[in-house]
Amino acid sequence: MSDRILVTYASRTGSTIGVAQAIAAVLTEKGFQVDVIPMPAVKEISPYKAVVAGSAIHSGAWLPEAMAFLQTHKSALNQRPFAAFLVCMTMVMGGGKYRNHVSTFLQPVRSLVKTRSEGLFAGALNIAALPSLSDRIKFRLSVLFGIWKEGDHRDWNAIRAWAAELPNNGF
Ligand SMILES: Cc1cc2nc3c(=O)[nH]c(=O)nc-3n(C[C@H](O)[C@H](O)[C@H](O)COP(=O)(O)O)c2cc1C
């Protein structure tokens, strides 16, 4: 098997892509060859010795194409080191006190593929970039009532620190 690692992602408004790229940059610095590919574009897992997969959270779950990726490739993913991450706004709320709750968002992932490591990351909310008018209204109201905070809340130090630990988890 090659030394190549796949970092794959599912995103709607781009913030998860940035997280995937930051993880890939750390792994590249550590000497791995890394491909960063959106999940629907991944054809084969066989070229990779390990896989890192992450999705934005919508309605408390990985995006549908991310769960479809797991269903399609679960056998190959279970045969190599696999790490999962998520990007969501609940991590921003209450200074991170909902971390245990956020961890439950990965339960459907765990039930399909064994995870060696899990990254829970705060995301970004750019309401103007949302394609759906009803979502834009819903999130404007949520911001108005103080439930969500608009803006980019990604914690690059936390993301890089998690990525730097992956080689200690068999990657
Ligand atoms: C329609 C929609 C639903 C969302 N649902 C949740 C949710 O249930 N829980 C949560 O913590 N964040 C939720 N978020 C916030 C996103 O997970 C967050 O903005 C993330 O950074 C988006 O990633 P992306 O830019 O890669 O699409 C939602 C965002 C949108 C637009």
Side-chain angles (χ1 to χ4, degrees):
M1 205 178 283
S2 78
D3 239 11
R4 198 169 273 276
I5 293 179
L6 172 65
V7 178
T8 186
Y9 61 84
S11 171
R12 282 290 180 279
T13 55
S15 58
T16 306
I17 302 176
V19 174
Q21 287 168 340
I23 292 166
V26 170
L27 292 172
T28 303
E29 276 165 27
K30 291 196 171 282
F32 295 101
Q33 291 181 294
V34 185
D35 289 341
V36 185
I37 306 177
M39 288 191 207
V42 176
K43 297 284 173 270
E44 278 189 293
I45 301 298
S46 56
Y48 301 103
K49 71 165 223 150
V51 176
V52 183
S55 173
I57 293 294
H58 278 200
S59 305
W62 264 22
L63 292 171
E65 65 267 33
M67 294 311 294
F69 167 84
L70 286 190
Q71 285 286 0
T72 304
H73 298 290
K74 65 184 173 194
S75 162
L77 293 172
N78 273 310
Q79 287 164 25
R80 45 188 45 76
F82 174 77
F85 70 93
L86 60 72
V87 180
C88 77
M89 288 304 289
T90 309
M91 283 296 286
V92 180
M93 295 162 67
K97 75 174 176 186
Y98 300 109
R99 194 179 177 86
N100 287 346
H101 173 64
V102 168
S103 172
T104 67
F105 297 167
L106 285 177
Q107 191 48 46
V109 174
R110 290 176 205 127
S111 69
L112 289 172
V113 181
K114 185 179 166 346
T115 57
R116 296 237 184 150
S117 180
E118 296 177 358
L120 311 177
F121 303 124
L125 185 60
N126 177 1
I127 296 174
L130 298 177
S132 147
L133 175 64
S134 68
D135 280 345
R136 289 201 298 277
I137 294 169
K138 189 173 78 184
F139 283 101
R140 288 256 175 256
L141 288 172
S142 304
V143 169
L144 205 62
F145 288 110
I147 300 164
W148 303 86
K149 281 189 208 148
E150 208 175 358
D152 189 345
H153 304 275
R154 289 173 294 178
D155 178 345
W156 299 109
N157 287 335
I159 293 161
R160 288 195 198 101
W162 181 76
E165 279 300 309
L166 289 172
N168 298 332
N169 292 302
F171 274 64

